[in-house]
Amino acid sequence: RNAALDATATWDTIAVRGEKPRVVRLEFTRHGPVVAEDTARRRAFAIRFVGSEPGTAGYLAQLSLGRVHDLESFRDAAARWKLPTENLVYADVDGNIGWVASGLAPVRHWSGLLPVPGDGRYEWDGFLDTEQLPQSINPPSGVISTANHNILPPGYPHQLAYEWDADWRARRLEDVLGRGRQLTVEDFARLQHDA
């Protein structure tokens, strides 16, 4: 028996409308909370989640983003962003634009798509540094479009996700923004509602 794999347990009471409160046993492992058990095979399933890591309070870094005043402070604020993962974009009055795919990204030597044994063979090897996250500052095209499509640069060496939305929204943005003309506030209002 490996003591490092033991779970700690706590009891809690959940109020249920129209019923008696339910007393539940909650178990936690070093990899996260136990979410399912296979008692016949003596297995438990825990989920490790970056949101359980220190400093990942959702949107806390938004306080830094609200104080951004130039490209350097944008990059600093993007480095503080841990959760949820977001495409953070920037533009300023000097004509600079930028994008950082911000968020805490674990380094794994397996896909992360299926359960793996919690015996130490599948531990995270830390997290990607902000400099290793995909990003673009002042691209030659003069356009950055993020529309939940696969925006990763060709050949990007780290697996960040496996599912993406179709790119039709991004193609439309690039079509409208890439026409090489000055756009007005009204043009952007029309683009916001473009179908």
Side-chain angles (χ1 to χ4, degrees):
R1 192 174 146 108
N2 185 340
L5 302 178
D6 288 346
T8 57
T10 185
W11 294 91
D12 200 357
T13 303
I14 299 174
V16 179
R17 186 187 325 194
E19 299 179 23
K20 291 172 39 177
R22 294 184 189 169
V23 177
V24 295
R25 183 172 190 255
L26 305 173
E27 293 182 275
F28 301 89
T29 72
R30 64 188 172 125
H31 295 116
V34 173
V35 296
E37 289 186 64
D38 180 345
T39 54
R41 293 185 177 144
R42 297 182 44 134
R43 292 183 181 165
F45 297 88
I47 295 182
R48 186 167 182 195
F49 169 52
V50 295
S52 298
E53 297 295 316
T56 58
Y59 295 107
L60 184 60
Q62 193 162 356
L63 298 172
S64 297
L65 284 171
R67 295 183 180 96
V68 165
H69 57 276
D70 59 16
L71 191 53
E72 184 177 342
S73 61
F74 167 70
R75 291 175 122 166
D76 290 343
R80 290 186 185 98
W81 191 277
K82 306 297 180 200
L83 191 75
T85 54
E86 293 282 355
N87 283 314
L88 300 179
V89 293
Y90 170 84
D92 64 28
V93 296
D94 297 321
N96 295 302
I97 61 173
W99 157 72
V100 178
S102 291
L104 198 58
V107 176
R108 295 185 286 237
H109 61 276
W110 73 100
S111 73
L113 289 172
L114 297 171
V116 294
D119 60 9
R121 292 180 290 159
Y122 294 91
E123 298 302 316
W124 292 350
D125 294 324
F127 303 94
L128 294 177
D129 293 326
T130 303
E131 296 78 33
Q132 295 174 289
L133 296 173
Q135 51 195 284
S136 177
I137 305 297
N138 294 324
S141 68
V143 174
I144 295 172
S145 65
T146 66
N148 299 325
H149 66 298
N150 186 349
I151 192 173
L152 297 179
Y156 181 72
H158 305 287
Q159 188 65 50
L160 298 181
Y162 293 93
E163 295 182 15
W164 309 91
D165 278 351
D167 67 351
W168 59 269
R169 289 173 53 220
R171 285 185 287 127
R172 178 65 178 149
L173 286 169
E174 290 164 4
D175 176 51
V176 171
L177 299 176
R179 292 181 183 165
R181 65 180 182 86
Q182 290 281 42
L183 298 173
T184 65
V185 171
E186 292 76 20
D187 292 327
F188 280 105
R190 276 192 297 281
L191 182 58
Q192 181 70 28
H193 298 282
D194 187 286

